[in-house]
Amino acid sequence: MERNLEEIFQAKIDKEEKIEPKDWMPDAYRKTLIRQISQHAHSEIVGMLPEGNWITRAPTLRRKVALMAKVQDEAGHGLYLYSAAETLGIDRDTMFDQLHTGKAKYSSIFNYPTLSWADIGSIGWLVDGAAIMNQVPLCRCSYGPYARAMVRVCKEESFHQRQGFEILLNLSKGSKEQKEMLQESVNRWWWPAMMMFGPGDADSPNSQQSMKWKIKRFTNDELRQKFVDVCYEQAKVLNVTLPDPDIKWNEERGHYDFGEINWDEFWNVVKGNGPCNKERLEARNKAWDEGAWVRDAAMAHAEKRANRKNKKVA
Ligand code: FAQ
């Protein structure tokens, strides 16, 4: 019986039909999606912190408005994604608890500090650029609520990428100091952005099954390669050098070759020992604790309204 259901389920996926919340699905499919979507939601929420750090110091009013809008968009993405995960049977408080206690993962990239204004440009160009590369295929994910949430997320991420690129383009036409700030920032963000795609295919335990279920449409290494190919050309426009002496065009493959990623650094950050892991979790826990009165007030208000309604009915 179970086997039969599983065959029907896979056949649906193979025909590019969406799986919806009330459809039968294997436990492992549900578990994989809860893991990926909740980690993705946490990444959006924690991802607000490095950029939020620069809102008060944005160099012009226009930059401040754009940055505020971007950071608010990330909060919205987190909320769509938590809602998508909830359709799989996990509740939001459990997900928050997993984040706050350090049980849940979120993207390694947000454990790096934003040290200069150019970092806001680099996040837009490289971090949002990598996010788009990874997330556009997720609009075709087999799970309906996740795929639909990603359509809007991707539209907004494209705007984010362009605002970052424009910040860097301006710096590239600026003073000597501005050009140096740009290059220094790209030097720091390049490798962590490359790590966002996750471990190489040979070391990615989830990829094979997620590809079969069409949650993932490309492997980690395939997306990383596309990212390098696009960024190399964009770096020329910005007049910056990517900090990898091994990048060069490979005629035979039709792609750029690139150097070895420092996987020890990646796993160290994923395990909680990156430059800002502790600070990020503390910030999220503080925000949660300080927001307790808002949640309590909202619950009290909802209870009052429900009581009033019940009285009227009686
Ligand atoms: N960081 O077997 P795989 C953004 C973990 S949003 C930390 O390859 P999978 C927007 C992975 O979870 C950025 N951990 O795993 C924004 C797994 O551990 P687990 C987030 C990582 O799931 C921009 C283990 O390693 N995007 O940037 C990372 O098949 C600017 C083995 O890996 C998403 O979440 C990592 N980088 O592939 C916001 C997109 N990579 O769970 C603010 C959706 C891997 O078994 C400002 N997610 N791990 O304990 C995905 O596409 C996938 O989950 C991957 C990983 C590709 C991230």
Side-chain angles (χ1 to χ4, degrees):
M1 174 73 176
E2 183 90 345
R3 199 162 151 240
N4 202 6
L5 284 170
E6 213 155 328
E7 275 166 16
I8 297 169
F9 168 84
Q10 187 62 48
K12 228 172 146 179
I13 288 180
D14 293 342
K15 277 192 284 177
E16 296 292 332
E17 280 175 30
K18 292 280 179 250
I19 306 299
E20 296 298 339
K22 290 191 173 146
D23 294 346
W24 185 90
M25 61 185 85
D27 282 347
Y29 177 82
R30 187 184 298 278
K31 223 171 128 198
T32 295
L33 278 168
I34 290 178
R35 176 184 66 77
Q36 178 167 326
I37 303 173
S38 63
Q39 287 179 4
H40 191 169
H42 299 325
S43 303
E44 300 282 356
I45 297 299
V46 177
M48 295 163 75
L49 296 168
E51 287 172 287
N53 182 34
W54 277 88
I55 290 175
T56 53
R57 291 175 286 162
T60 66
L61 185 60
R62 176 173 168 262
R63 294 291 186 207
K64 193 197 277 270
V65 168
L67 184 57
M68 269 168 63
K70 178 187 192 293
V71 172
Q72 283 176 351
D73 284 352
E74 311 299 359
H77 298 173
L79 298 184
Y80 313 149
L81 290 164
Y82 283 127
S83 297
E86 279 179 314
T87 64
L88 290 154
I90 187 166
D91 64 76
R92 213 171 275 218
D93 280 347
T94 305
M95 287 186 272
F96 286 150
D97 189 61
Q98 289 170 346
L99 173 65
H100 297 149
T101 54
K103 266 190 228 143
K105 291 192 173 75
Y106 58 84
S107 182
S108 49
I109 193 75
F110 302 117
N111 292 306
Y112 290 85
T114 38
L115 305 177
S116 72
W117 170 250
D119 287 358
I120 300 304
S122 293
I123 290 183
W125 178 39
L126 298 174
V127 177
D128 285 284
I132 293 168
M133 201 56 92
N134 164 271
Q135 290 174 19
V136 167
L138 291 175
C139 299
R140 293 189 292 121
C141 163
S142 58
Y143 188 59
Y146 191 25
R148 289 189 287 273
M150 291 318 298
V151 173
R152 181 156 171 188
V153 170
C154 285
K155 283 186 184 158
E156 293 176 352
E157 299 290 21
S158 301
F159 158 74
H160 297 169
Q161 196 269 354
R162 292 180 74 144
Q163 69 86 40
F165 192 81
E166 199 229 355
I167 289 174
L168 298 185
L169 193 61
N170 267 22
L171 292 176
S172 77
K173 294 174 187 158
S175 63
K176 180 171 166 284
E177 286 79 7
Q178 285 171 317
K179 287 177 189 159
E180 281 168 7
M181 178 169 53
L182 159 61
Q183 182 64 60
E184 191 274 336
S185 172
V186 170
N187 289 349
R188 275 184 293 110
W189 287 94
W190 174 250
W191 288 108
M194 290 280 280
M195 294 173 195
M196 283 176 73
F197 297 95
D201 294 349
D203 299 310
S204 162
N206 301 298
S207 277
Q208 214 184 350
Q209 182 63 69
S210 289
M211 296 279 286
K212 186 162 178 242
W213 280 332
K214 299 194 179 176
I215 294 173
K216 284 168 107 162
R217 296 281 178 161
F218 295 97
T219 69
N220 299 355
D221 283 335
E222 283 168 348
L223 292 170
R224 193 168 8 247
Q225 179 69 64
K226 279 171 182 259
F227 178 70
V228 174
D229 292 348
V230 165
C231 288
Y232 191 85
E233 297 305 320
Q234 293 174 342
K236 286 187 205 162
V237 179
L238 294 175
N239 218 0
V240 283
T241 314
L242 297 177
D244 178 355
D246 296 326
I247 291 196
K248 63 171 181 308
W249 181 250
N250 183 324
E251 192 65 47
E252 213 170 286
R253 292 199 312 119
H255 292 289
Y256 285 95
D257 288 337
F258 53 91
E260 185 60 31
I261 288 172
N262 181 345
W263 292 114
D264 288 343
E265 176 181 328
F266 171 73
W267 289 116
N268 198 37
V269 175
V270 172
K271 283 184 190 139
N273 304 316
C276 300
N277 295 61
K278 199 164 162 274
E279 189 184 324
R280 300 293 183 238
L281 273 195
E282 276 171 8
R284 285 316 313 158
N285 273 292
K286 185 164 175 276
W288 178 255
D289 293 343
E290 288 178 356
W293 70 272
V294 180
R295 294 190 299 278
D296 290 347
M299 291 307 283
H301 181 65
E303 207 174 309
K304 245 192 206 168
R305 279 184 64 153
N307 284 343
R308 225 179 289 149
K309 219 174 171 187
N310 286 345
K311 259 189 209 154
K312 266 190 201 160
V313 173

